[in-house]
Amino acid sequence: MKKVRKAVIPAAGLGTRFLPATKALPKEMLPIVNKPTIQYIVEEAVKAGIEDIIIVTGKGKRAIEDHFDIAYELEQNLIQKKKFDLLEKVREPSKIDIHYIRQKSPKGLGHAVWCARKFIGDEPFAVLLGDDIVQAEKPCIQQMAEQYEKTGHSVIGIKEVPYSETYRYGIIDPESQEGRLFHVKKFVEKPESNPPSNMAIIGRYILTPEIFDFLEKKEIGAGGEIQLTDAIQKLNELQGVDAYQFEGKRFDVGQVLGFVLTNIEMALQNEDLRDDVLEGIEKILHENKLSLK
Ligand code: G1P
């Protein structure tokens, strides 16, 4: 079995849920506390032992490349001011080598992944979406790569969501379950009604390269876009694709409410900030005559 060595991080989306913030700023650069969301994703891949990362960018996404590059002037400035702790924070992202390709028009997630086909070649690979941050003892994508290495089947990360939210996700129709692993009858993208379950695709995938044969067909799916989920269903019919209920806490940073709550929760997780944030929240509640019920 080939090892999972490469990862694709699609970052070409228009970020419409965050307008106007994302008019001139890539949504992937919106910070959770003091780190852009995409850095959490890249760090998960690196921690999981992924050797090569490609980010699929698009128009207006330059800031992502700059973020993972060396910032000479800023570094010199911090050295002169002897701000070595900040210097380390600035250098951290530039230590990772990242490849880039541009998706020339926004045709959907399936098309964004297809743009990376030449970089991936004929081996299994990971896909990590920036809308989901996962905190886990063992990186989520590593848990899934280990599953792939046992069976040779593609593995799709899933979590339970409320039925009222199934319309926002790819949803599985489960066939059978062994612990955290599900065999799947069908993968359905954003069902408008009668979802086959409430097990939703969260943005982590291990895919075999045969997925490109289906993405190549560029069939249009839900929302008028080329959907990765539709290609996954075709791949499921060909060689079996499993779903894996990974361990860890998932933060939904792809929509405004989840983004705000993630910022609060991660700030509360940070020992240097916790007490001041709690005090700040109490003050805000008091000043606005609000209370926690
Ligand atoms: C994408 C996928 C969907 C998945 C979701 C997870 O949708 O198409 O299957 O459930 O990511 O975040 P998007 O949120 O990009 O519309």
Side-chain angles (χ1 to χ4, degrees):
M1 198 89 62
K2 284 187 183 160
K3 229 178 122 2
V4 180
R5 299 184 310 121
K6 296 181 180 175
V8 179
I9 302 180
L14 298 177
T16 45
R17 287 175 204 144
F18 288 90
L19 283 170
T22 47
K23 186 178 169 192
L25 179 78
K27 76 166 175 185
E28 295 77 11
M29 291 303 296
L30 294 173
I32 302 295
V33 188
N34 59 351
K35 224 195 276 184
T37 53
I38 194 160
Q39 193 176 335
Y40 290 87
I41 308 300
V42 167
E43 284 175 358
E44 178 185 328
V46 171
K47 210 169 148 211
I50 295 289
E51 295 162 23
D52 287 308
I53 296 174
I54 189 166
I55 299 183
V56 183
T57 66
K59 278 193 187 61
K61 300 282 184 166
R62 262 295 155 67
I64 298 177
E65 292 179 45
D66 289 341
H67 182 72
F68 291 102
D69 197 357
I70 293 171
Y72 285 105
E73 279 178 29
L74 179 58
E75 289 190 13
Q76 285 314 314
N77 188 293
L78 293 171
I79 291 168
Q80 272 165 19
K81 291 182 179 150
K82 298 197 171 17
K83 294 192 169 168
F84 297 113
D85 51 336
L86 285 181
L87 181 67
E88 198 35 48
K89 282 188 183 151
V90 164
R91 281 185 172 161
E92 201 62 38
S94 63
K95 289 180 186 159
I96 305 161
D97 269 336
I98 297 181
H99 304 254
Y100 298 92
I101 187 146
R102 273 170 83 120
Q103 183 188 28
K104 292 178 185 139
S105 54
K107 293 183 184 163
L109 178 60
H111 181 259
V113 172
W114 176 83
C115 290
R117 69 201 179 284
K118 290 182 185 156
F119 174 81
I120 298 299
D122 190 26
E123 52 181 293
F125 64 102
V127 177
L128 297 95
L129 305 188
D131 285 350
D132 298 292
I133 293 177
V134 182
Q135 278 181 346
E137 232 165 81
K138 183 183 284 184
C140 172
I141 203 70
Q142 186 180 344
Q143 299 173 36
M144 293 170 49
E146 287 175 3
Q147 280 305 318
Y148 163 78
E149 280 155 19
K150 280 185 205 156
T151 64
H153 287 182
S154 297
V155 184
I156 313 301
I158 52 165
K159 276 257 181 242
E160 222 170 309
V161 298
Y163 268 96
S164 58
E165 289 180 18
T166 48
Y167 73 95
R168 289 181 44 211
Y169 297 94
I171 299 291
I172 69 161
D173 185 356
E175 188 168 274
S176 60
Q177 183 181 358
E178 293 163 41
R180 294 182 169 272
L181 196 71
F182 290 72
H183 300 292
V184 179
K185 256 187 262 168
K186 210 165 177 208
F187 294 85
V188 189
E189 181 66 7
K190 304 201 174 92
E192 281 169 16
S193 56
N194 303 321
S197 76
N198 63 339
M199 300 303 280
I201 300 178
I202 304 304
R204 298 293 184 275
Y205 309 76
I206 302 289
L207 298 169
T208 55
E210 287 77 18
I211 192 78
F212 292 118
D213 298 341
F214 299 109
L215 291 173
E216 187 76 40
K217 296 196 165 81
K218 303 199 177 125
E219 281 168 16
I220 306 293
E225 296 190 339
I226 301 169
Q227 295 292 353
L228 183 58
T229 306
D230 295 344
I232 289 171
Q233 174 48 26
K234 298 271 167 56
L235 188 65
N236 188 28
E237 287 161 22
L238 179 78
Q239 52 180 215
V241 174
D242 297 331
Y244 187 72
Q245 198 175 9
F246 57 82
E247 268 175 80
K249 184 173 165 63
R250 171 238 178 184
F251 294 87
D252 176 9
V253 298
Q255 37 111 11
V256 175
L257 176 62
F259 176 81
V260 171
L261 294 175
T262 303
N263 261 296
I264 295 171
E265 188 164 350
M266 289 207 185
L268 289 170
Q269 286 177 355
N270 181 323
E271 280 176 22
D272 296 338
L273 290 173
R274 183 180 306 131
D275 291 346
D276 291 338
V277 173
L278 280 173
E279 209 179 295
I281 292 174
E282 269 177 13
K283 197 163 161 245
I284 292 168
L285 292 174
H286 179 73
E287 286 175 0
N288 289 279
K289 299 188 174 56
L290 295 167
S291 66
L292 296 172
K293 274 166 228 134

